[in-house]
Amino acid sequence: MLTSRAAILALVVCVIALSLAYPLREYVAQRAQIAQLQEERARMEASVRELRTREEALSTDEYVEREARLRLHYQYPGETAYIVVRPEDEDEPGAEAGPGEPWFTALWRSVREADDPAAGGAP
């Protein structure tokens, strides 16, 4: 008689454990998702703060004038702007890639040259 009661008790405990396993798993998954969303929210808030700071800087006339002079080479009427191009920059051996050629094209070309034993890279 004691054995059948123990078996029934074990069965009831197993049923209760199985009925609680799925909700517990969902609870843990939801907590992980909440933590991930809170981190994403913090990143977004930091990004918004940075963009608001940038917006404030862009709204000042001094910043706009400085950027126009530096990046776009604008000047006031009557001012003379000079751009110095050094000729030794054009003759450097590392300047093989033209200005219109993307960096990955030069990289792929160097990979092909390193792989080609006839190019003289390897003895």
Side-chain angles (χ1 to χ4, degrees), residues 7-122:
I8 291 173
L9 180 63
L11 181 64
V12 169
V13 169
C14 288
V15 168
I16 291 174
L18 290 175
S19 66
L20 292 178
Y22 181 74
L24 184 62
R25 184 173 55 112
E26 288 298 316
Y27 173 76
V28 170
Q30 287 176 358
R31 295 302 297 176
Q33 185 180 12
I34 288 171
Q36 179 186 5
L37 290 174
Q38 287 175 341
E39 290 175 7
E40 184 178 344
R41 179 179 177 209
R43 283 193 308 269
M44 290 293 178
E45 287 176 350
S47 175
V48 167
R49 281 194 303 272
E50 180 182 325
L51 289 173
R52 284 190 179 145
T53 304
R54 177 103 170 117
E55 179 187 23
E56 290 174 7
L58 287 172
S59 66
T60 62
D61 292 335
E62 295 84 18
Y63 183 81
V64 173
E65 179 183 350
R66 185 176 59 233
E67 289 296 313
R69 287 177 170 270
L70 290 175
R71 288 187 184 181
L72 305 175
H73 304 291
Y74 281 15
Q75 65 270 349
Y76 285 112
E79 290 182 347
T80 305
Y82 296 100
I83 299 175
V84 178
V85 179
R86 298 184 308 181
E88 60 267 5
D89 290 343
E90 297 173 359
D91 296 333
E92 289 182 8
E96 295 172 342
E101 185 177 29
W103 64 270
F104 51 84
T105 305
L107 175 67
W108 185 246
R109 184 175 49 246
S110 69
V111 168
R112 282 187 291 157
E113 289 173 0
D115 193 37
D116 186 18

